[in-house]
Amino acid sequence: MIRVDEKGFYGKFGGAYIPEMLHPNIEELRENYESIMASPDFQQEFQMLLKDYVGRPTPLYYASRLSERHGAKIYLKREDLCHTGAHKVNNTIGQILLAKRLGKKRIIAETGAGQHGVATATVCALMGMECTVYMGELDIHRQRPNVERMKILGAKVVPATSGSKTLKDATNEAMRAWINNPVDTHYIIGSVVGPHPYPEMVALFQSVISEEIKWQLQEKEGRENPDAVIACVGGGSNAAGAFYHYYDVPEVRLIAAEAGGLGVHSGKSAATTALGTPGILHGSKTILMQTEDGQVIEPHSISAGLDYPGIGPVHAHLFDIGRGEFLAVEDEDAMKAGIELSRLEGIIPAIESAHALHALNMIEFKKDDIIVVNLSGRGDKDLETYIKWGGY
Ligand SMILES: *Cc1c(COP(=O)(O)O)cnc(C)c1O
């Protein structure tokens, strides 16, 4: 069984490696998240918002021209059709409902490219809660539209000015803010990373993806299980959601596409399982890209959402026991796969999701295999990058 254990571990990975001063915050969450999430009152509000606000269930779309091109039956799970354009809102909706029930008044979050910041600012507006998003100063300059989106939604964006002025520094700032306001503040983490119980909690909120795939595939194909599920992995939340109900079904291949950047050995990639070693990152034991003396190596990917030096502990475990197949997809190949989907199906994907699409060229499958690709987001936010790349 692939589930988190009592201490917050998936096999060798996970746990809660946190400063003493964060202990009460994490304990409060750990003691309460399961019972709150299981309560009828929570479930009713969560399900209502997933349906009427997010727009779930998202379609499971049979991509006939893409299928013909690749010689398999390919279905796309359309998370790009969620409100705000990606799967991230499934998690932020869940966490804000949890925060309300814990009596919290303020929300804080970290963001890299700004996608998680926007998803958090969105649900804070929805619930009338104060929202502060920490973002590296460099990222604030690079991701102007998302910064303005957050401000339009009423969030305060606070620059992190230390270190490399990017995501890891924003995470440090958010942690510091949480230590200073433990009683009235909830910290919404955006992926299946961080100290226990975050990775499992976020995976549970995202597990609606595979829950829907099961009944949708049953309706369309008369079977719940595809031959393979493919998803891209930054921290790993859309992949965890798409894999969740298939973890313990060995006949379903779980295929994770990481960012190979300019090439795994180019010094410019985010191919964590290919290059990483076990260590502690953002409060959990996982696999991360680090130097021999434990300094985190700056990752690179053309897609901001995959530009992360680690993976969530559940993915480290799937990799470790061989349950997941991890592939490194390079920038150029992902961009081409994004254009291929645009031309064949009229869907411009997020560049993150385009990494999962290129995996179709890297795996072997039989003629009528059923393959589900999790289309984590839409490409509107990536227009600049598509234009700069120009190869269409
Ligand atoms: C943030 C993001 C990702 C990467 O995050 P995961 O936690 O790995 O899912 C992937 N796709 C899109 C569209 C994103 O916005």
Side-chain angles (χ1 to χ4, degrees):
M1 283 272 285
I2 293 173
R3 288 293 176 274
V4 77
D5 71 18
E6 281 285 294
K7 295 205 168 76
F9 280 83
Y10 305 88
K12 302 199 228 13
F13 303 101
Y17 298 83
I18 49 168
E20 187 66 33
M21 287 170 79
L22 268 186
H23 201 255
N25 312 36
I26 293 291
E27 265 310 287
E28 183 187 30
L29 203 57
R30 192 186 63 78
E31 281 171 8
N32 293 295
Y33 84 103
E34 284 169 309
S35 60
I36 292 177
M37 282 175 68
S39 72
D41 159 71
F42 178 95
Q43 278 303 322
Q44 196 200 2
E45 193 175 2
F46 186 48
Q47 297 305 333
M48 182 274 287
L49 287 171
L50 287 184
K51 179 166 179 282
D52 296 338
Y53 188 73
V54 175
R56 306 206 70 90
T58 59
L60 184 69
Y61 165 66
Y62 175 62
S64 63
R65 299 189 68 213
L66 190 70
S67 296
E68 206 175 301
R69 173 72 55 91
H70 288 279
K73 286 181 123 173
I74 300 167
Y75 283 88
L76 303 176
K77 182 58 173 161
R78 298 290 310 273
E79 293 302 295
D80 60 316
L81 295 177
C82 291
H83 176 49
T84 69
H87 67 289
K88 285 196 172 73
V89 72
N90 301 325
N91 167 50
T92 57
I93 289 263
Q95 285 202 48
I96 204 154
L97 295 182
L98 190 69
K100 259 198 349 187
R101 282 159 179 78
L102 287 170
K104 305 296 176 184
K105 303 279 180 278
R106 298 176 63 234
I107 296 295
I108 56 173
E110 85 295 338
T111 198
Q115 292 303 111
H116 173 57
V118 170
T120 302
T122 299
V123 298
C124 288
L126 177 68
M127 292 295 158
M129 270 161 90
E130 194 185 317
C131 180
T132 306
V133 179
Y134 295 86
M135 188 168 186
E137 198 172 38
L138 193 64
D139 292 332
I140 288 182
H141 292 297
R142 290 193 294 202
Q143 308 289 344
R144 184 79 194 284
N146 277 339
V147 175
E148 298 309 315
R149 273 186 194 107
M150 288 184 261
K151 289 185 183 167
I152 289 170
L153 291 161
K156 194 166 138 206
V157 181
V158 176
T161 54
S162 62
S164 55
K165 304 182 173 54
T166 57
L167 178 60
K168 99 180 139 45
D169 314 290
T171 306
N172 291 337
E173 286 294 323
M175 289 278 184
R176 213 166 298 148
W178 204 23
I179 289 172
N180 291 334
N181 302 279
V183 180
D184 70 343
T185 302
H186 176 69
Y187 178 16
I188 298 189
I189 292 184
S191 190
V192 288
V193 301
H196 178 65
Y198 278 101
E200 184 63 14
M201 184 172 77
V202 175
L204 276 167
F205 288 134
Q206 294 291 358
S207 70
V208 63
I209 299 172
S210 47
E211 195 180 305
E212 288 174 5
I213 294 172
K214 283 180 86 169
W215 64 256
Q216 289 173 321
L217 208 56
Q218 179 68 42
E219 267 182 21
K220 290 174 197 297
E221 293 284 346
R223 56 188 256 204
E224 290 188 334
N225 301 335
D227 295 289
V229 181
I230 307 178
C232 64
V233 172
S237 69
N238 86 88
F243 295 170
Y244 198 90
H245 291 282
Y246 297 118
Y247 282 155
D248 303 314
V249 187
E251 60 267 31
V252 180
R253 291 169 69 185
L254 305 179
I255 296 164
E258 293 187 305
L262 300 181
V264 171
H265 299 293
S266 66
K268 288 236 158 226
S269 97
T272 305
T273 57
L275 298 170
T277 48
I280 310 284
L281 182 64
H282 296 147
S284 71
K285 186 164 182 215
T286 188
I287 297 173
L288 67 141
M289 293 167 27
Q290 55 187 332
T291 60
E292 260 168 42
D293 51 358
Q295 295 298 309
V296 174
I297 295 172
E298 280 289 323
H300 163 85
S301 169
I302 194 163
S303 72
L306 304 187
D307 201 349
Y308 185 69
I311 45 173
V314 71
H315 294 292
H317 181 55
L318 292 173
F319 175 72
D320 187 44
I321 62 173
R323 175 70 185 94
E325 299 168 54
F326 286 73
L327 308 171
V329 176
E330 297 184 10
D331 289 354
E332 188 71 13
D333 291 328
M335 296 308 289
K336 286 181 184 153
I339 300 302
E340 180 183 77
L341 188 73
S342 306
R343 298 287 164 88
L344 289 177
E345 300 289 347
I347 300 170
I348 304 175
I351 297 171
E352 290 86 356
S353 320
H355 285 71
L357 289 162
H358 179 71
L360 290 167
N361 299 310
M362 300 173 79
I363 59 169
E364 298 212 358
F365 40 79
K366 294 191 296 302
K367 173 117 181 30
D368 283 315
D369 275 2
I370 294 175
I371 297 179
V372 175
V373 180
N374 197 40
L375 206 68
S376 56
R378 66 179 182 223
D380 305 42
K381 71 179 176 61
D382 295 321
L383 209 55
E384 274 297 311
T385 312
Y386 276 112
I387 293 168
K388 239 193 232 158
W389 177 70
Y392 49 87

